[in-house]
Amino acid sequence: MHSSTSKRGVLPGFGITMGYSVLYISLVVLIPLSALLLNSTGLTWEKFWDVATDSRVLASYKVSFLTAAAAGLIDTVLGLLIAWVLVRYEFPGKGLFDAMIDLPFALPTAVAGVSLTAIYSANGWIGSLFEPLGIRIAFTPIGITLALMFIGIPFVVRTVQPVLQELDAEVEEAASTLGASRFRTFRSVVLPELIPPLMTGFALAFARGIGEYGSVVFISGNMPMKTEIAPLLIMSKLEQFDYAGATAVALMLLIISFVLLLLINSLQRRVRKTAK
């Protein structure tokens, strides 16, 4: 009797829990994706290939994936530093600083895009400092990367922060007592524990950046072959009532994103197995 009750959890049994999970995933994920696939069935293979391999479409993919990857990598480093400061140090205004990390979640992306464009444009507060040096930020891939960094940084911080809080400080103290330098202690003791959450944070920031529209559409300048992102190209085709073309671009974007995230998740699982 004791064994049967000890296996019971707060949530319902496997059947009910699994049913709710499948229903939720179906309503939120599977049905919308199925609609996308059904819309693509009206496309011939030749039409799909022509749209997917168009030079303008390929350029938009390049801009979207490269800027999202760059923003994700930079956010991984900055997110680790911010999480480290929040966990390991006490300073005035720490609570306010911690709350500001989640601001990109609450702020409408369009508002963020307008604000970033005003700041980093040639006559903006920050953009005007770089303009005399010949460095343009707004309406370039640099501006797109900054916008994606803004909306992606909370994913890394909030993924790494709980892991840092759970790390045993006594292990670091033991390594220091044995003569290890701070850098070696971080590299050998702390970093192996942080690699999985860092990879998770990067994957979340990268995935968010690929499909981001509101915060990028203003600062990108929307120049075809230069700063046009894939989501904007999809919207342009929808506005022109080119539903087949928009579906083809969206489906290719979905496939590439899924493959990249699958590779990242596979690498993450290998890292966790190696750490164990």
Side-chain angles (χ1 to χ4, degrees), residues 93-152:
K94 177 180 177 180
L96 178 62
F97 183 75
D98 191 12
M100 289 178 61
I101 300 300
D102 295 326
L103 187 61
F105 287 150
L107 188 68
T109 55
V111 176
V114 173
S115 302
L116 292 172
T117 304
I119 293 174
Y120 290 106
S121 61
N123 56 353
W125 295 346
I126 300 178
S128 60
L129 301 177
F130 289 90
E131 189 70 19
L133 303 177
I135 302 176
R136 295 190 61 188
I137 298 179
F139 315 128
T140 66
I142 299 176
I144 298 175
T145 303
L146 287 173
L148 297 182
M149 288 171 55
F150 174 79
I151 57 99

Side-chain angles (χ1 to χ4, degrees), residues 80-91 94 98 157-158 160-167:
L80 173 59
L81 294 176
I82 294 173
W84 186 276
V85 170
L86 289 174
V87 173
R88 296 301 178 92
Y89 300 101
E90 295 293 334
F91 53 90
K94 177 180 177 180
D98 191 12
V157 175
R158 296 313 183 199
V160 176
Q161 191 174 2
V163 179
L164 275 175
Q165 291 173 341
E166 294 296 328
L167 285 180

Side-chain angles (χ1 to χ4, degrees), residues 121-220:
S121 61
N123 56 353
W125 295 346
I126 300 178
S128 60
L129 301 177
F130 289 90
E131 189 70 19
L133 303 177
I135 302 176
R136 295 190 61 188
I137 298 179
F139 315 128
T140 66
I142 299 176
I144 298 175
T145 303
L146 287 173
L148 297 182
M149 288 171 55
F150 174 79
I151 57 99
I153 191 68
F155 292 101
V156 181
V157 175
R158 296 313 183 199
T159 304
V160 176
Q161 191 174 2
V163 179
L164 275 175
Q165 291 173 341
E166 294 296 328
L167 285 180
D168 192 357
E170 294 181 356
V171 179
E172 300 176 42
E173 295 175 359
S176 178
T177 302
L178 294 175
S181 63
R182 289 186 177 182
F183 176 74
R184 186 175 181 182
T185 300
F186 175 79
R187 183 189 63 185
S188 303
V189 178
V190 179
L191 187 59
E193 299 292 331
L194 295 180
I195 289 179
L198 284 172
M199 294 183 65
T200 301
F202 168 78
L204 292 173
F206 176 68
R208 172 68 186 273
I210 292 175
E212 179 61 22
Y213 175 79
S215 62
V216 179
V217 65
F218 297 102
I219 199 171
S220 66

